[in-house]
Amino acid sequence: MRVLCVAEKPSISKSISQILSGGQFTTSATRSQFIKNYEFDYPQTNSFYTVTCVSGHLTGSDFPESHRKWNSCDAFELFDAPVETHVASDKKAIEDNLLTQARRADMLMIWTDCDREGEHIGLEIVRVCKRAKRNIVVKRARFSAIIAQQIHHAAQHPVELDRAQADAVEARITLDLKVGAAFTRMQTQILQNHFVQLSEARNVVSYGPCQFPTLGFVVQKWNLVKSFVSEPFWHIHMSLRRNTSSSDGEETVFNWRRGHIFDEDAAVSIYDFVLSDPLARVTKVTKKETKKWKPLPLTTFELQKAGSRLLRLAPKKVLDISEKLYQQGFLSYPRTETDQFDPQFDFHSLIRKQVVDPTWGAFANSLEEGGFAVPRKGKNNDKAHPPIHPTAHAGNLVGDERKVYEFITRRFLACCSKDALGFQTTVDVECGGEFFYATGLLVLERNYLEVYPYDKWVGHEIPEFEEGEEFQPSVCELREGKTSKPSLLTEADLVTLMDKNGIGTDATIAQHIQTIIDRDYVIEKMEGSTKYLIPSKLGIGLIEGYNQIGLNKSVSKPQLRRETERSMVQVCEGTKTKAAMLEETIVQYKEMFIIAKREFEKVISPCSAKFFTPSWTFQFGQIHGFETSVKSTCRLVECNRFFFEASIYPTYSTSE
DNA sequence: GCAAGGTC
């Protein structure tokens, strides 16, 4: 029997060919530069195998010609417009290869990643192949890691393609297209009509169910920083000078168990009580072993966060670099949600490849000589790719590539090492009815910290204390402090928020951040070596505008996307049909669209302008509290502060 | 000139 196997990407088709053929296969080129066909006998199932692949989704969706032009219809009509699906022009060579190979095959076996998108890509492949051979037998290989035993098992026990999962993805594709296009056209057309700046620059004011919540996070933090008012607080500072084994007169600070309090009168009266008691008593001395846990195996999210925070590289940049290193064979597949290694994973041969490195080679060697410990297991597994790890030693990298490779390698070695061990001493003290404590830390074994400088764990010595002893504090003062301003949002914070709230995926999070920057919704600002994200006036305006319109579900918060995700899960489980999901969700967005459009037009209605005189600052706020003022020419397009308590003309710069 | 999701 001739079996045609189709994987989601070139790397997988190659790996499964190597495993199933035991390395004995022939390779032939296709018209697509990256894609090869591999052929071999697979005697275990009496078959002749051809293994090839696609490159992600084969098809793309768009409106038909009748609705594609922006002025061809009212934006609202897009919700009910048909959607066409075609093989994209740059995928024709891949399609041709599938058609040719399918004609020769008796069975089509789908080897796409075992996730929802993979199931949908599988369906795209089936549709193309059935055009070449209508009665081809279709099977699906199910695997959770590229490990010999699993791949053989998958080849010998194929299952059926999961139509429900593919349906859920199809619903999402249609939904995102309709909602995105309808809102984008509506926003853009209304705003361009009124703002010279937008129409001259031909700026698209895009809406997307992922980009808006992402922008929402940036604006929310910005508002928090802007509205921050510092508050004074009080705390009792107690310390004692006493010699330790290594230094004389070391000052030990005892922290107040109450932390700090915001009521000055209360603080003063408590302090008076403490002062009335000249001696502090040690109530307890606790000594115990403590650990600093080694990091979890590396996912794409974590890599992007670390890249931004530790390596000062944008999430998109980190992903691009790791993609390149992967192409060169230095790294495993860089888009993974998995933070647990398979129990059968071959750690040792990978560790041995790092022994030659001048910087961390000695550490790698120490792992091979007894320092090894099985990595911790996280909670995520995408059932398709292992955590990111180095697959070969790369000695000649420079610049950012070197930084990324070094981080990934050190992280992998740290995962294979042991937790750091320490010894912690806590001294509890009572004085005037108040409780204080001091801690000391002695780092016993640094272990993984030796190879992972990104984590800090510094010991500090504490003098000897005995339970029941009394001492007179060297300092006991009531001190005043004030709450400090929260910091702006960093890229790493944003990746964390998106990950937590289910906005985007490992492969798309970086793109969404880039999109809101490209659209001029957000501006990057360097402060020292940290990059902060600040919303532009346009970005603030859009979010604040929508928030004030009073939709019952906010487009700038993660809830709507979460609901879409939940409906997709229901479609996958078979408790909801694809049609029902689309119907429900589209109705909801239609309502929101009607309200949003009405409010947009109301707020910036040109007829309001005739009431303005040159020097007025006008509270136009009865509608949504939007403040509006007009520049001297009194043309609405030259509104200075408009719509969103923000200047939208002549520039979006956010410098205060 | 629109989205988000794959991947190169």
Side-chain angles (χ1 to χ4, degrees), chain A residues 12 111-114 140-146 150-151 154 383-384:
Chain A
I12 302 283
W111 286 82
T112 49
D113 292 356
C114 291
R140 206 259 195 267
R142 198 158 267 290
F143 54 99
S144 61
I146 307 294
Q150 289 206 23
I151 296 301
K383 304 281 174 82

Side-chain angles (χ1 to χ4, degrees), chain A residues 148-221:
Chain A
Q149 180 230 341
Q150 289 206 23
I151 296 301
H152 280 290
H153 187 269
Q156 292 164 32
H157 303 87
V159 297
E160 300 304 317
L161 206 58
D162 187 339
R163 184 57 200 248
Q165 289 195 50
D167 276 351
V169 170
E170 239 163 30
R172 190 217 72 229
I173 290 171
T174 305
L175 194 66
D176 286 347
L177 173 66
K178 289 187 169 180
V179 172
F183 275 78
T184 299
R185 287 186 195 180
M186 183 270 285
Q187 287 182 174
T188 307
Q189 284 164 341
I190 295 181
L191 292 175
Q192 275 187 356
N193 271 339
H194 294 96
F195 296 106
V196 158
Q197 189 190 2
L198 285 175
S199 54
E200 277 175 356
R202 298 186 65 81
N203 270 8
V204 172
V205 187
S206 64
Y207 170 82
C210 285
Q211 48 181 274
F212 256 55
T214 305
L215 174 59
F217 291 132
V218 181
V219 173
Q220 194 177 32
K221 189 67 188 282

Side-chain angles (χ1 to χ4, degrees), chain A residues 21-86:
Chain A
S21 71
Q24 302 298 305
F25 56 84
T26 59
T27 305
S28 50
T30 71
R31 275 178 46 224
S32 172
Q33 189 190 345
F34 300 102
I35 294 174
K36 309 244 182 310
N37 295 337
Y38 305 102
E39 295 190 323
F40 50 89
D41 276 316
Y42 191 59
Q44 287 90 328
T45 58
N46 271 328
S47 310
F48 181 76
Y49 269 45
T50 302
V51 182
T52 187
C53 67
V54 290
S55 179
H57 286 287
L58 249 187
T59 59
S61 292
D62 206 348
F63 300 109
E65 193 54 42
S66 56
H67 292 73
R68 216 173 300 159
K69 289 238 163 49
W70 277 47
N71 290 317
S72 62
C73 66
D74 189 284
F76 186 77
E77 285 178 32
L78 294 175
F79 286 115
D80 293 317
V83 171
E84 292 176 345
T85 300
H86 296 292

Side-chain angles (χ1 to χ4, degrees), chain A residues 8-12 34 54-56 113 298 300 303-304 313-336 385 388-389 391 397 400-401 404-405 408 506-508 510-511:
Chain A
E8 186 164 319
K9 52 192 153 252
S11 64
I12 302 283
F34 300 102
V54 290
S55 179
D113 292 356
L298 190 59
T300 308
L303 174 62
Q304 294 186 87
L313 297 170
K316 176 89 167 54
K317 178 98 180 162
V318 174
L319 206 57
D320 290 347
I321 291 173
S322 36
E323 173 71 33
K324 190 173 168 201
L325 293 173
Y326 158 69
Q327 298 292 347
Q328 294 170 339
F330 293 131
L331 292 185
S332 64
Y333 190 69
R335 284 184 283 272
T336 174
H385 311 283
I388 304 170
H389 61 272
T391 47
L397 299 174
D400 292 342
E401 288 180 18
V404 171
Y405 178 80
I408 292 171
D506 51 2
T508 61
Q511 287 170 28

Side-chain angles (χ1 to χ4, degrees), chain A residues 502-547:
Chain A
I503 302 299
T505 69
D506 51 2
T508 61
I509 257 185
Q511 287 170 28
H512 296 313
I513 298 176
Q514 194 57 49
T515 301
I516 58 173
I517 292 169
D518 292 344
R519 298 278 188 252
D520 292 334
Y521 296 164
V522 165
I523 294 156
E524 298 165 285
K525 183 180 173 191
M526 292 302 293
E527 237 170 57
S529 56
T530 308
K531 190 188 277 175
Y532 292 100
L533 298 172
I534 301 174
S536 70
K537 304 217 166 175
L538 177 60
I540 296 170
L542 287 167
I543 296 298
E544 296 289 308
Y546 269 111
N547 284 348

Side-chain angles (χ1 to χ4, degrees), chain A residues 109-126:
Chain A
M109 201 184 284
I110 302 296
W111 286 82
T112 49
D113 292 356
C114 291
D115 52 24
R116 258 181 352 214
E117 299 296 330
E119 227 60 30
H120 181 257
I121 294 169
L123 185 60
E124 294 178 297
I125 295 165
V126 170

